[in-house]
Amino acid sequence: QVQLVESGGGLVQPGGSLRLSCAASGSIFSINSMGWYRQAPGKERELVAGITSGGSTNYADSVKGRFTISRDNAKNTAYLQMNSLKPEDTAVYYCNADVRLRAWSRYLEVWGQGTLVTVSS
């Protein structure tokens, strides 16, 4: 069984910063891509940022230049550094990963439970 556990959410003032972490645990052979998604009240879940096992990244236009995704492959952990936060960044942030349990198995998509980020004065 594989779990993704997010941490680092909370309340922050506009212009502030937060760092989210996503730790994968369980019997993992390898992890391909990892990503952060968010879902605001009344809106669909959207991709915020993604990173491949090789370190290639992609970002939603709304967060480019403000958010940075990174990962520590040795720790099976991904991070999202969020700077210059805006009220419209308020959402539940979810971690996502494509995980392989055995060398011969296909990749499984795994989701975390989510962590709430609230940007408000």
Side-chain angles (χ1 to χ4, degrees):
Q1 185 174 350
V2 177
Q3 283 188 317
L4 298 181
V5 178
E6 302 104 332
S7 61
L11 173 64
V12 63
Q13 293 186 341
S17 298
L18 281 176
R19 188 191 193 211
L20 305 182
S21 298
C22 169
S25 63
S27 180
I28 298 170
F29 176 77
S30 66
I31 301 177
N32 190 11
S33 62
M34 300 185 77
W36 288 96
Y37 290 71
R38 67 185 180 187
Q39 187 167 19
K43 295 188 176 181
E44 293 187 351
R45 190 173 297 189
E46 63 175 357
L47 174 67
V48 176
I51 185 168
T52 67
S53 57
S56 297
T57 59
N58 63 290
Y59 296 92
D61 288 342
S62 59
V63 307
K64 282 181 181 177
R66 300 188 298 123
F67 291 11
T68 302
I69 188 171
S70 61
R71 64 190 284 176
D72 184 332
N73 291 330
K75 296 181 178 180
N76 288 336
T77 300
Y79 306 95
L80 186 67
Q81 178 66 43
M82 305 185 293
N83 299 328
S84 302
L85 283 160
K86 305 175 181 180
E88 50 264 42
D89 294 317
T90 295
V92 177
Y93 284 71
Y94 297 91
C95 180
N96 171 277
D98 291 330
V99 178
R100 181 179 283 177
L101 303 182
R102 298 289 185 270
W104 57 86
S105 62
R106 62 183 177 88
Y107 280 103
L108 300 175
E109 185 178 42
V110 183
W111 289 89
Q113 295 289 331
T115 184
L116 178 63
V117 172
T118 303
V119 184
S120 175
S121 55

